[in-house]
Structure formats: structure tokens, C-alpha cells
Amino acid sequence: NCLGRPDYNIAFALLFLYLWNMKRVARTAESFVFMIVFLLIADLVWLIVVGVTWGQSGSPAWEELSTLHSWVIIFSIVNMLVKGVLALKLKQFAAANADDRLASTL
């Protein structure tokens, strides 16, 4: 997202790209849902831990960063919402393509 938080999403995006190229559409979509839920949990933990820390008042230098902290938290929440919508859409996609998964196991 930004320099204010560690971004592990890039590594998972590369993993998603690798899995997408495996051509098992329904199974890949199910794997994506699982990983996105895992990432949402990690984002939620990060938001709780850092949100509490960033919400505390401190030195004047810390106070100067409060605007940046607010923007990072806002965009982190937006990122979580996008991941949630994506997970729901992928779950629907996997259910709609369940025949593909069944055919690939035969």
C-alpha cells in the first residue's frame, strides 16, 4: 500500500499469478479464496495492532505523522474491503465452475 506499512501483498500476487497459470480454474479460485481470507486476517491483525499504536499521542515528530497514519489506515480498510469483495466473487465463480473441478479429477 505505502511506505507506512509492510506490503506482503506483492508476494501473494506473484503466487496468485503462478496458480492462475496452472489452468485448474475452479480449484485455483478456491485456493485464491483461502489465501485472500488469510490475507484479510493478517490485515485485520495489522490494523488492530498498528491502529492502537498510531492512535496514541507521542512526541511532536509522531504528531506530524498523524495525517500519514490516518491515510494509511483508511487505504488499508479500503484494501480489506476490495479483498472481501474479491473473495466473495471468486467463491461464486468457483461454485459456478464446479463441473470443471469434477472433470479435472476424472
Side-chain angles (χ1 to χ4, degrees), residues 40-56:
L40 279 170
I41 292 169
D43 284 342
L44 184 62
V45 169
W46 179 88
L47 189 64
I48 291 169
V49 170
V50 174
V52 169
T53 304
W54 283 358
Q56 298 173 352

Side-chain angles (χ1 to χ4, degrees), residues 76-99:
S76 296
I77 292 170
V78 169
N79 188 344
M80 291 173 63
L81 292 173
V82 169
K83 285 180 189 176
V85 169
L86 181 63
L88 291 174
K89 291 293 185 182
L90 282 171
K91 187 171 174 117
Q92 291 172 350
F93 179 80
N97 290 304
D99 295 335

Side-chain angles (χ1 to χ4, degrees), residues 5 8-9 12-13 16 32-45 80 83:
R5 74 175 261 193
Y8 49 82
N9 292 315
F12 278 96
F16 290 163
F32 284 1
V33 170
F34 175 75
M35 286 186 278
I36 289 172
V37 168
F38 171 76
L39 292 173
L40 279 170
I41 292 169
D43 284 342
L44 184 62
V45 169
M80 291 173 63
K83 285 180 189 176

